[in-house]
Amino acid sequence: LSESGVPQLVQPMIWDYAADLDVEGKVHLIEKYRRCGFSKVWFASAFKGATGVNQSLTLIGHHLKNHLQWLKVASSSPADVLEGIALTGWQRYDHFSVLCELLPVAIPSLAVCLQALKNGGYSEKIKENVEKLLGMSNLETDTFMR
């Protein structure tokens, strides 16, 4: 890869939507990319979708845990390596599938994930801020929203 010149042309994106992603494995992967000459990498997470083809509601806690794991990867990696994170929002698993988790039901998850990334973590205060921003009385992260 180093000799091909590709590392000067592109930046790899590491995708993982798991709530329990392997932080150490991702850090090692970043180190491998660095040794090949890639100076920057991107992360890809999901704020909705990616949990089941027939999912209709968004389980916020799953996506929040994924983002908190990505924050651990970022803090365990060299400070200058992360270019950014793409928050994907899967709505269809292939062109022949029905739509799943439409955007309106996932907006609370998007807000929680963005706030967790912005603040470097998640706390009761951040939860209260999201509730206030969205005009919600009780943001549920471990069960489906009612």
Side-chain angles (χ1 to χ4, degrees):
L1 276 173
S2 297
E3 294 173 13
S4 72
V6 169
Q8 286 69 48
L9 301 173
V10 299
Q11 296 175 339
M13 182 173 285
I14 304 169
W15 301 72
D16 199 326
Y17 308 137
D20 61 347
L21 70 85
D22 178 8
V23 172
E24 187 176 316
K26 296 293 183 263
V27 171
H28 289 309
L29 182 58
I30 292 167
E31 291 169 2
K32 286 181 182 180
Y33 279 130
R34 297 274 293 215
R35 286 195 305 270
C36 291
F38 292 97
S39 60
K40 300 283 186 184
V41 299
W42 288 78
F43 299 159
S45 63
F47 71 91
K48 75 178 192 81
T51 57
V53 67
N54 61 351
Q55 191 80 22
S56 58
L57 300 174
T58 304
L59 187 56
I60 297 170
H62 173 89
H63 299 292
L64 173 60
K65 289 174 187 169
N66 175 254
H67 285 89
L68 295 175
Q69 291 297 93
W70 277 119
L71 286 170
K72 289 180 184 176
V73 174
S75 67
S76 301
S77 301
D80 63 340
V81 72
L82 179 60
E83 186 70 12
I85 183 167
L87 281 76
T88 65
W90 292 91
Q91 192 158 303
R92 184 183 302 228
Y93 282 70
D94 63 55
H95 294 291
F96 303 106
S97 296
V98 297
L99 297 177
C100 63
E101 292 186 61
L102 300 178
L103 181 61
V105 299
I107 287 176
S109 181
L110 176 59
V112 165
C113 294
L114 287 171
Q115 286 298 308
L117 291 175
K118 178 183 174 189
N119 292 286
Y122 191 72
S123 66
E124 187 62 31
K125 176 136 178 63
I126 293 170
K127 177 183 181 274
E128 291 169 5
N129 287 342
V130 171
E131 288 171 340
K132 184 177 178 184
L133 285 169
L134 297 179
M136 300 176 72
S137 60
N138 184 26
L139 178 66
E140 300 175 32
T141 58
D142 295 323
T143 59
F144 291 110
M145 299 297 296
R146 294 181 194 164

